[in-house]
Amino acid sequence: MYLPPEDPSSPVPSASSISMTPKPRMVIQRCENGFKMRKLNDDVEEDNDSSKMESNIRHVEAENKLPVVSEPEAAAALVPHATKPETTEEEAQKVCAREQLYKLCGVRHWKAPLYTFFNQDGPDNTKLFKVEVSVEIKEVSGITVLECLGDPHNKKKIAAEQAAEVALWFLKNMRRSAASSKKKSDSITSSTTDLFRSASSKATTKEMDRIDHLFNQYANTSSNLIDPEGIEELCSNLEVPHTDIRILMLAWKMKSEKQGYFTQEEWRRGLKALRADTLNKLKKALPELEKEVRRQTNFADFYAYAFRYCLTEEKQKSIDIETICQLLEIVMGSTFRPQVDYFVEYLKIQNDYKVINMDQWMGFYRFCNEISFPEMTEYNPELAWPLVLDNFVEWIREKQA
């Protein structure tokens, strides 16, 4: 067996001059009942008189480059011939197995197959040729040399054709085996994924059952809602007053739509997000919920939600001054204490406004975040501030003067 030289133009060394560490080998030999395979790294006795057969592939003589062929085209070549070519005419009509093997090696980016022939005496002192084709198979684990032997024949070309057929037969079955292994592996992976999903689904179901059980402890059985009485009982068990900002934050997390009421869907949404399926877990989740809400990215949304949550009537768009003052104390009191104190005082003594709308409410949030207090040097009444804030700033400046 000879490995092809790296440079196609370099001469092929003789059998006696080659000395190198052998690569893993598989030897496939054609026999009467099919093919037989030798073990990996079996020693192969080679005839000392063996010599390298010149390539009989026509397009290789013209250009020593692997052709660009599609994988499907090459895959179609992986079917060995059932009968031996006996005549030149039959040989010409058949698709050349050597050319198919050459194209397949090109598609898979392997080296070109290498043919070696051995002399053998036949009946009546006829001279026969036995051909071995070597293919270097590149895999992730390394390179394996496939050596395939054809039947002896009095024509070199036909003997080489038979050796190529044996190589094609093996490569076809090797590919089927690899596909079967991949299919089996995918099946195992799929089964594992299904098992994980099943376990995850069961755990989720149990968690939701516990959340529902907790809901039923506080829900009104006739309306299937947690009403104001249920919320008061919940606050008592959580050991927080019902006016605590964390109860409003819990409503925000649930995306509760109606003040003083929690539906089962809202309850599920909020407690699942908090991963709290017991009263004790819910109690422990409240401090983390407060940290989440007070992040700058969330607080503006929470501040706007607090206003909408207090719109208790259909088509209501504004909130009375008394409620707004209480809401400001709850939502903004701990963060912007001086601004809230002054604004609440102003709202209680002024006579121009009976209610506050969403635009005015959000304007005060912007005022607290953008205007230094009590200097208010950045405040410009020419900008798009709500009129109630213009009046508020003017009132403060008069008071300061």
Side-chain angles (χ1 to χ4, degrees):
M1 188 256 323
Y2 303 103
L3 296 177
E6 294 184 0
D7 184 3
S9 62
S10 61
V12 179
S14 63
S16 60
S17 65
I18 296 178
S19 177
M20 59 184 296
T21 304
K23 298 178 181 178
R25 298 190 303 175
M26 294 178 287
V27 181
I28 314 296
Q29 186 169 0
R30 185 167 181 162
C31 60
E32 293 181 0
N33 297 325
F35 306 100
K36 62 182 181 180
M37 181 187 303
R38 296 184 192 175
K39 295 179 181 179
L40 295 178
N41 294 333
D42 278 355
D43 293 331
V44 180
E45 296 181 1
E46 297 185 357
D47 192 340
N48 291 334
D49 295 332
S50 65
S51 60
K52 182 177 181 298
M53 185 179 79
E54 297 179 358
S55 174
N56 290 306
I57 302 176
R58 292 184 296 277
H59 66 273
V60 175
E61 296 173 354
E63 180 179 1
N64 193 18
K65 293 183 179 179
L66 294 177
V68 178
V69 187
S70 64
E71 181 78 19
E73 180 182 349
L78 302 181
V79 182
H81 300 305
T83 58
K84 300 179 183 179
E86 297 294 340
T87 64
T88 304
E89 290 76 11
E90 292 175 350
E91 185 180 315
Q93 292 174 1
K94 290 178 63 177
V95 177
C96 181
R98 288 169 296 143
E99 185 171 353
Q100 295 172 14
L101 181 60
Y102 190 86
K103 289 180 178 181
L104 181 64
C105 291
V107 169
R108 298 185 180 179
H109 305 289
W110 298 343
K111 290 185 179 179
L114 184 67
Y115 293 87
T116 306
F117 74 92
F118 308 90
N119 297 329
Q120 182 176 328
D121 293 332
D124 301 326
N125 295 324
T126 57
K127 190 175 182 180
L128 300 178
F129 302 99
K130 191 170 185 178
V131 177
E132 176 188 89
V133 60
S134 301
V135 179
E136 288 194 11
I137 301 174
K138 290 184 179 180
E139 299 173 303
V140 177
S141 57
I143 297 178
T144 302
V145 179
L146 172 68
E147 298 173 347
C148 298
L149 297 170
D151 289 338
H153 203 280
N154 59 359
K155 292 185 179 180
K156 292 182 182 179
K157 190 172 182 180
I158 295 178
E161 187 77 6
Q162 293 178 358
E165 289 177 359
V166 178
L168 289 170
W169 171 86
F170 176 80
L171 292 174
K172 173 186 177 182
N173 284 274
M174 181 183 73
R175 187 173 182 180
R176 283 179 176 174
S177 177
S180 177
S181 298
K182 184 178 184 302
K183 185 176 181 181
K184 185 176 181 180
S185 174
D186 291 345
S187 177
I188 293 173
T189 302
S190 177
S191 298
T192 304
T193 303
D194 291 343
L195 185 62
F196 174 80
R197 285 176 178 171
S198 177
S200 177
S201 177
K202 289 179 181 178
T204 302
T205 301
K206 289 182 178 179
E207 180 188 34
M208 198 59 68
D209 288 343
R210 290 191 292 269
I211 290 174
D212 287 345
H213 177 71
L214 190 60
F215 174 83
N216 293 330
Q217 291 182 25
Y218 301 102
N220 185 314
T221 54
S222 60
S223 63
N224 197 33
L225 295 172
I226 297 180
D227 56 19
E229 289 185 6
I231 292 178
E232 283 190 16
E233 184 182 354
L234 174 64
C235 292
S236 176
N237 292 337
L238 291 174
E239 298 178 347
V240 295
H242 69 277
T243 55
D244 193 294
I245 189 174
R246 288 172 293 181
I247 300 304
L248 183 58
M249 290 175 174
L250 182 60
W252 171 81
K253 194 67 176 179
M254 293 181 186
K255 298 181 181 178
S256 176
E257 295 182 357
K258 187 176 181 181
Q259 187 184 53
Y261 295 88
F262 296 151
T263 67
Q264 187 170 15
E265 182 182 353
E266 293 167 348
W267 180 266
R268 283 179 170 182
R269 183 191 300 127
L271 268 65
K272 185 177 181 181
L274 294 172
R275 304 185 69 177
D277 54 7
T278 65
L279 183 67
N280 190 41
K281 288 182 181 179
L282 180 57
K283 188 175 181 178
K284 291 179 179 179
L286 292 181
E288 291 301 320
L289 173 61
E290 185 172 3
K291 290 180 182 178
E292 178 188 349
V293 172
R294 293 197 181 279
R295 294 191 194 110
Q296 189 174 2
T297 53
N298 293 329
F299 194 76
D301 182 69
F302 170 71
Y303 182 80
Y305 170 82
F307 184 89
R308 294 194 301 270
Y309 190 63
C310 292
L311 299 175
T312 56
E313 303 295 332
E314 188 177 355
K315 297 183 180 181
Q316 182 181 350
K317 294 184 179 180
S318 58
I319 301 173
D320 64 272
I321 295 296
E322 183 180 356
T323 303
I324 283 292
C325 292
Q326 294 174 354
L327 195 58
L328 283 171
E329 289 282 352
I330 295 173
V331 178
M332 299 282 278
S334 62
T335 309
F336 300 100
R337 184 79 262 171
Q339 292 93 319
V340 170
D341 286 344
Y342 273 90
F343 193 50
V344 167
E345 182 184 353
Y346 169 73
L347 289 177
K348 288 181 177 180
I349 66 172
Q350 57 82 35
N351 296 313
D352 297 323
Y353 301 94
K354 302 297 182 183
V355 294
I356 295 294
N357 60 32
M358 175 64 89
D359 182 59
Q360 294 164 336
W361 173 259
M362 296 305 297
F364 182 69
Y365 175 78
R366 178 186 161 201
F367 175 86
C368 291
N369 283 276
E370 296 180 11
I371 306 301
S372 60
F373 196 84
E375 297 83 6
M376 301 181 294
T377 52
E378 305 92 344
Y379 191 86
N380 184 355
E382 299 299 324
L383 299 179
W385 291 102
L387 184 58
V388 66
L389 290 178
D390 290 340
N391 295 338
F392 169 60
V393 171
E394 184 179 351
W395 174 78
I396 291 179
R397 284 174 176 168
E398 290 177 358
K399 194 173 183 179
Q400 289 173 342

